[in-house]
């Protein structure tokens, strides 16, 4: 049983009373028309007391507060207004209206995302617990895993003075649900909390509403695990990953090592300047199942084309290059060692490497630039973490989730720089692509490029910063998620708590999609978007995720160039997520490569045979117009569930009367017992095998080129074993078969 908890103490940081006084006239004007009384949404000042309790938590050395003076009541009313801005209220109302499956899926993402990360780093969360009739507000301070699919949260509610209650939740196949709650909660929303100073009058003892002496928090039970690293096989782990069977390691019959030692303190620096995560470890199991994986085997971090990539830890470059056909494309592999324990980080889909083999690097060193080489569609950084001796169920040996090891607070840069002022607590986001400069003027050197929609923490005096935001000619000192500090133009940023901010959700169009001025086809077209355009969705992350792929829904987005508008939610997809089938089926007119991207130089995932029914994904009208046209590409799903792209001029809308017989066949045989792999690399999962002397039928489109690879080290050939299992075989263990 694993317990992750924070230092939040309801007896010290919470309140020993509940304040029910509420201004009856406090109403919120809705965006289009009408008003909403906040008194109907929340009991008393519970939302304000939740924020105030967290303010007290962030101000060390506080004491119990057992009654409310008039000054305390005014403070709580102000924090109530801060806790319930219009966007939060609308998000709460929308969550109530969501259908149960969509709500459970949204809850799952929250449970495996911010809840886990925040509690693990000691930061309690402000929650709105959505019920049938009203909403409760409180502080989530601890999380306990009871079993593989059950969790217990410990929540302080202002309506229960000085106490906390346990809430049990269960991970289901389609999301998360509450299973023990007398309050009839149906969902929850994490509130965008920003610490505020506690009023000065509360710092003096003996004032009305404060106990005379500070009270020390109760000691924790001896079996409580403070600051323990997340247990990777329990609690918050993806259900598919927890239930998956182990796959075979590098060679036939080799047994992977088990159990990474929990005591090794591996810390990784954030390797990009963006804090957005496009795809988590273990996500999208259906996409990765054909490759023999229970889900995504790494972490996809948002990084536009050409963005800086930094070393995540001190180490040595083991490899920097682009192995032929490797799904990671241009990549860097670093070897690290901590207290005798060896681990490796892999940085994939790069456009340029800035280091060479055997180079020594420090955490934070610039090592590469981002792109989308290999099996990638849309520029980003794929980060893989391997720890010697570790084993995650269902994955190749040594691969683990990098997220628990990534530092949540960026460390100082490795090179000596000027002393930095403290964080101001004011977070801003960029409204256009900006340069992060060494000094506050346009002639200063550039340290990094920052895309539109990126969140940055400002440094310095909050009063001065607030006065500069949005003003022409002013500059702000900031720090990125990767720990790089510098200056940005203040007239191209906005506060995240004063406007509709960018979320951490990035989507891509399924084809040529219009960016419109409003949520409907009747609005003007602002721009024509391409499939590789990264679009940051605006608003609450979990609520917008529930809309993706749904007919009739629209998303407000911002392009990497800063243009804002609306796109049809059913015409976009997340990283690692495939668009829905459009109802069109096509058939190869011969052996046909299914590629990772719509380009002739993209990696070949599989080879489709004549007669294979390929489901076309995306927009139906657009797909029908492309069939048979030279230069066009179709996004398809094969009968084996591989998703990729095929040349539209090499498919037909009608199934052949009988499968075409190839003019020639290339048959090989295995010289040893040999693995069939999902991709042409030793790192790929095993999907089958060939025994010594068994026949291997080549399925590649160019049989002459395939034959030239036979016996060559480092080459791979795609084909089929006698049992009909298809995959990639090491060409250096294949020999011609005598007919």
């Amino acid at each position: 049983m694993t317990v992750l908890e924070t230092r939040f103490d309801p007896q010290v940081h919470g309140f020993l009373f509940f304040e029910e006084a509420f201004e009856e006239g406090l109403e919120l004007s809705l965006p289009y028309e009408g008003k909403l009384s906040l008194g109907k949404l929340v009991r008393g000042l519970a939302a304000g007391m939740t924020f105030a309790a967290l303010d007290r938590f962030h101000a060390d050395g506080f004491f119990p507060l057992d009654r409310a003076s008039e000054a305390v009541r005014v403070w709580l009313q102000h924090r109530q207004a801060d806790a319930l801005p219009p966007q939060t209220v609308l998000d709460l109302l929308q969550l109530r209206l969501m259908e149960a499956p969509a709500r459970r899926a949204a809850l799952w993402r929250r449970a495996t995302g911010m809840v886990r990360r925040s509690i693990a780093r000691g930061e309690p969360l402000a929650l709105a617990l959505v019920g049938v009739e009203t909403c409760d507000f409180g502080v989530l301070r601890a999380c306990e895993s009871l079993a593989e699919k059950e969790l217990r949260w410990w929540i302080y509610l202002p309506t229960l003075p000085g106490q906390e209650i346990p809430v049990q939740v269960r991970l289901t196949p389609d999301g998360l649900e509450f299973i023990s709650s007398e309050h009839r909660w149906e969902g929850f929303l994490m509130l965008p909390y920003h610490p505020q100073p506690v009023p000065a009058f509360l710092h003096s003892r003996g004032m009305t509403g404060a106990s005379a002496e500070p009270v020390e928090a109760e000691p924790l039970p001896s079996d409580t695990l403070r600051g323990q690293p997340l247990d990777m096989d329990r609690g918050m782990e993806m259900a598919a990953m927890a239930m998956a069977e182990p796959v075979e390691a590098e060679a036939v019959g080799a047994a992977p090592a088990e159990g990474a030692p929990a005591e090794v303190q591996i810390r990784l620096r954030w390797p990009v300047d963006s804090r957005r995560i496009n795809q988590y470890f273990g996500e999208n199991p259906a996409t990765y199942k054909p490759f023999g994986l229970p889900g995504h085997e790494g972490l996809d971090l948002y990084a536009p084309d050409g963005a800086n990539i930094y070393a995540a830890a001190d180490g040595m470059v083991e490899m920097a290059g682009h192995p032929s056909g490797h799904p990671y494309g241009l990549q860097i592999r670093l070897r690290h060692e901590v207290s005798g324990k060896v681990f490796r980080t892999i940085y994939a889909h790069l456009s340029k490497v800035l280091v060479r083999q055997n180079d020594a690097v420090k955490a934070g060193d610039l090592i590469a630039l981002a792109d989308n080489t290999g099996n990638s569609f849309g520029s980003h950084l794929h980060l893989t973490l391997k720890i010697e001796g570790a084993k995650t169920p269902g994955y190749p040996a040594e691969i683990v989730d990098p997220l628990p090891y990534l530092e949540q607070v960026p460390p100082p840069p490795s090179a000596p720089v000027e002393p930095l002022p403290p964080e101001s607590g004011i977070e801003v986001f960029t409204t256009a692509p900006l340069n992060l400069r060494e000094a506050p003027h346009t002639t200063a050197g550039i340290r990094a490029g920052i895309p539109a929609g990126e969140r940055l923490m400002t440094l310095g005096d909050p009063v001065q910063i607030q006065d500069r935001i949005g003003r022409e000619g002013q500059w702000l000192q900031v720090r990125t998620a990767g720990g790089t500090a510098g200056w940005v133009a203040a007239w191209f940023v906005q506060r995240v708590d004063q406007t509709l901010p960018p979320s951490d959700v990035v989507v891509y169009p399924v084809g040529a999609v219009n960016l419109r001025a409003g949520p409907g086809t009747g609005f003007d077209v602002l721009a024509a978007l391409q499939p590789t355009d990264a679009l940051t969705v605006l608003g609450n992350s979990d609520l917008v995720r529930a809309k993706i792929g749904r007919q009739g829904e629209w998303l407000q987005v911002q392009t990497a160039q800063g243009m804002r508008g609306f796109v049809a939610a059913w015409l976009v997809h997340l990283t690692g997520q495939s668009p829905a089938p459009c109802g069109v089926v096509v058939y190869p007119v011969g052996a046909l490569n299914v590629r990772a991207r719509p380009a002739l130089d993209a990696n070949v995932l599989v080879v489709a045979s004549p007669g294979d029914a390929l489901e076309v994904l995306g927009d139906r009208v657009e797909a029908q117009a492309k069939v048979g046209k030279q230069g066009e590409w179709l996004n398809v799903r094969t009968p084996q569930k591989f998703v990729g792209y095929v040349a539209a001029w090499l498919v037909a809308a009608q199934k052949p009367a009988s499968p075409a017989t190839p003019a020639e066949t290339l048959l090989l045989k295995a010289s040893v017992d040999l693995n069939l792999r999902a991709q042409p690399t030793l790192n790929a999962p095993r999907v089958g095998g060939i025994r010594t002397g068994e026949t291997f039928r080549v399925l590649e489109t160019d049989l002459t080129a395939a034959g030239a690879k036979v016996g060559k080290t480092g080459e791979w050939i795609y084909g089929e074993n006698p049992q009909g299992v298809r995959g990639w075989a090491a060409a250096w263990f294949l020999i011609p078969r005598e007919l």
Side-chain angles (χ1 to χ4, degrees):
M1 182 177 296
T2 301
V3 177
L4 297 174
E5 66 176 348
T6 68
R7 294 184 300 101
F8 184 91
D9 187 339
Q11 292 286 333
V12 176
H13 307 115
F15 298 89
L16 305 182
F17 65 91
F18 174 58
E19 182 54 57
E20 298 195 48
F22 194 93
E23 295 183 32
E24 293 296 330
L26 189 55
E27 293 183 326
L28 175 69
S29 297
L30 298 177
Y32 298 105
E33 60 178 331
K35 293 181 179 294
L36 173 70
S37 171
L38 295 185
K40 298 184 181 300
L41 188 68
V42 54
R43 281 188 56 195
L45 293 176
M49 295 179 78
T50 294
F51 269 32
L54 286 174
D55 291 341
R56 286 160 56 82
F57 167 78
H58 287 284
D60 291 337
F62 257 80
F63 43 81
L65 200 58
D66 56 12
R67 58 190 183 277
S69 65
E70 187 58 34
V72 169
R73 188 173 293 112
V74 170
W75 172 44
L76 297 179
Q77 289 174 347
H78 286 165
R79 291 305 271 149
Q80 181 103 327
D82 294 336
L84 295 173
Q87 185 60 47
T88 296
V89 173
L90 292 175
D91 289 345
L92 287 170
L93 295 175
Q94 186 173 357
L95 188 60
R96 277 190 180 181
L97 297 174
M98 289 172 66
E99 297 178 357
R103 182 165 52 241
R104 285 195 295 270
L107 296 182
W108 161 253
R109 284 188 293 272
R110 294 171 194 164
T112 57
M114 187 178 291
V115 168
R116 179 179 70 177
R117 298 193 298 273
S118 295
I119 300 300
R121 65 177 181 255
E123 296 179 4
L125 287 166
L127 293 188
L129 297 143
V130 180
V132 177
E133 299 176 354
T134 187
C135 295
D136 288 306
F137 293 79
V139 176
L140 173 58
R141 74 156 196 90
C143 176
E144 177 183 7
S145 36
L146 306 177
E148 286 186 349
K149 298 183 180 181
E150 290 189 10
L151 310 168
R152 181 183 291 126
W153 293 344
W154 294 92
I155 301 176
Y156 157 71
L157 296 176
T159 52
L160 300 173
Q163 301 180 39
E164 64 180 355
I165 63 169
V167 177
Q168 198 165 336
V169 294
R170 177 191 295 127
L171 309 180
T172 67
D174 58 351
L176 181 148
E177 63 182 1
F178 290 93
I179 59 174
S180 63
S181 171
E182 299 177 359
H183 300 266
R184 298 179 64 196
W185 292 323
E186 295 185 330
F188 67 95
L189 187 72
M190 286 175 289
L191 303 181
Y193 166 78
H194 300 281
Q196 294 291 334
V198 175
F201 66 84
L202 282 179
H203 290 269
S204 300
R205 298 179 187 174
M207 298 299 293
T208 303
S211 298
E213 296 292 335
V215 175
E216 192 171 281
E218 286 294 319
L220 291 170
S222 59
D223 59 347
T224 301
L225 304 177
R226 281 193 186 274
Q228 175 176 316
L230 183 67
D231 186 340
M232 295 307 298
D233 292 324
R234 293 177 179 268
M236 308 301 259
E237 197 62 290
M238 293 290 290
M241 187 174 70
M243 299 300 291
E245 292 296 323
V247 299
E248 191 167 336
E250 294 301 326
V252 173
E258 295 287 341
E263 69 274 7
V264 176
Q265 297 301 312
I266 294 173
R267 298 186 70 195
L268 302 180
R269 178 188 170 116
W270 205 258
V272 294
D273 286 311
S274 174
R275 70 183 63 190
R276 283 174 273 183
I277 299 176
N278 288 13
Q279 187 177 198
Y280 289 89
F281 186 88
E283 279 195 315
N284 301 309
T287 300
Y288 294 93
K289 184 177 180 180
F291 299 102
L293 295 169
H296 187 224
E297 86 284 10
L299 205 61
D300 283 350
L301 304 175
Y302 180 60
D305 188 16
N308 290 349
I309 306 299
Y310 307 100
D314 296 354
M316 184 266 292
V317 180
E318 279 195 325
M319 191 273 280
H322 189 168
S324 177
H326 199 290
Y328 284 172
L330 186 61
Q331 60 194 272
I332 292 174
R333 295 173 180 250
L334 302 182
R335 181 186 186 277
H336 318 273
E337 188 169 344
V338 176
S339 301
K341 188 63 180 178
V342 174
F343 65 99
R344 291 172 172 83
T345 51
I346 304 172
Y347 311 78
H349 311 310
L350 308 173
S351 65
K352 185 178 183 180
V353 297
L354 306 176
V355 292
R356 294 178 298 180
Q357 188 173 5
N358 297 324
D359 281 355
V361 298
K362 292 288 187 181
D365 283 355
L366 180 63
I367 59 173
L369 303 179
D371 196 12
N372 65 336
T373 56
N375 291 8
S376 169
F377 194 64
S379 181
H380 68 282
L381 172 68
H382 173 96
L383 177 68
T384 295
L385 173 62
K386 291 185 172 184
I387 302 177
E388 285 192 356
K391 183 72 179 78
T392 301
Y395 290 86
E398 302 185 352
I399 288 181
V400 299
D401 185 355
L403 189 57
Y405 301 92
L406 283 167
E407 292 181 333
Q408 301 300 328
V409 179
S414 55
V417 296
E418 72 281 359
L420 295 176
E423 293 185 356
S424 69
I426 297 177
E427 198 174 30
V428 297
F429 69 89
T430 55
T431 60
L434 293 182
N435 289 320
L436 184 72
R437 295 189 178 272
E438 296 175 349
H441 51 81
T442 56
T443 59
I446 298 173
R447 288 180 173 168
I450 308 297
E454 192 56 54
R455 295 189 181 214
L456 303 168
M457 175 54 69
T458 58
L459 308 176
D461 179 32
V463 176
Q464 294 181 2
I465 290 169
Q466 178 56 41
D467 184 57
R468 294 173 184 169
I469 293 174
R471 292 182 58 187
E472 187 83 23
Q474 296 292 324
W475 291 79
L476 296 173
Q477 195 170 13
V478 300
R479 182 157 50 201
T480 71
T484 306
W487 297 82
V488 295
W491 58 100
F492 287 120
V493 303
Q494 294 182 18
R495 281 189 64 149
V496 299
D497 56 351
Q498 292 185 343
T499 185
L500 187 63
S503 69
D504 60 356
V505 178
V506 178
V507 296
Y508 297 86
V510 300
V513 174
N514 289 325
L515 179 72
R516 295 188 177 271
T521 55
F523 289 90
D524 292 340
V525 175
L526 302 178
L529 303 172
Q530 299 304 313
T532 54
D533 287 336
L535 308 174
T536 300
V537 186
L538 309 180
N540 178 271
S541 300
D542 297 310
L543 296 177
V544 300
R545 281 179 183 269
K547 295 181 179 180
I548 295 172
R550 296 181 62 180
Q551 287 283 340
E553 296 282 3
W554 290 80
L555 300 172
Q556 190 172 4
V557 299
Q558 180 171 280
T559 68
Q561 292 71 41
M563 182 180 293
R564 290 192 172 199
F566 291 81
V567 294
W570 63 97
L571 296 180
V572 298
H573 66 98
L574 294 164
T575 303
Q577 182 187 75
S578 303
C582 67
V584 175
V585 177
V586 295
Y587 302 88
V589 296
L592 181 62
N593 289 325
V594 181
R595 297 184 180 272
R597 291 179 287 113
L600 289 172
D601 61 348
N603 287 1
V604 177
L605 302 178
V606 292
V607 179
S609 299
D612 282 350
L614 307 177
E615 295 181 282
V616 182
L617 313 178
D619 183 71
R620 181 183 181 90
V621 175
E622 183 180 345
Q624 290 175 327
K626 289 182 178 180
V627 175
K629 285 192 176 180
Q630 189 76 27
E632 297 286 357
W633 293 81
L634 293 171
N635 191 193
V636 301
R637 182 164 60 200
T638 72
Q640 297 81 27
K641 305 305 180 184
F642 285 91
V643 173
Y645 291 82
V646 296
W649 63 97
L650 297 178
V651 299
Q654 300 296 324
K655 184 177 181 179
S658 60
T661 301
E664 56 179 319
T665 299
L666 178 59
L667 300 178
L668 305 173
K669 66 179 180 179
S671 60
V672 296
D673 288 349
L674 187 60
N675 286 318
L676 280 181
R677 297 195 177 273
Q679 293 175 303
T681 169
L682 287 172
N683 293 314
R686 179 182 184 275
V687 295
I690 320 169
R691 293 296 179 185
T692 303
E694 282 189 335
T695 299
F696 180 68
R697 185 166 70 94
V698 178
L699 297 178
E700 295 192 22
T701 55
D702 189 339
L703 297 181
T704 301
K709 294 188 286 186
V710 174
K712 291 186 177 180
T713 301
E715 296 287 356
W716 294 80
I717 298 176
Y718 186 78
E720 184 178 74
N721 70 6
Q723 293 74 42
V725 177
R726 298 179 179 182
W728 295 90
W732 59 100
F733 290 125
L734 294 173
I735 58 177
R737 179 178 178 272
E738 297 178 2
L739 298 177

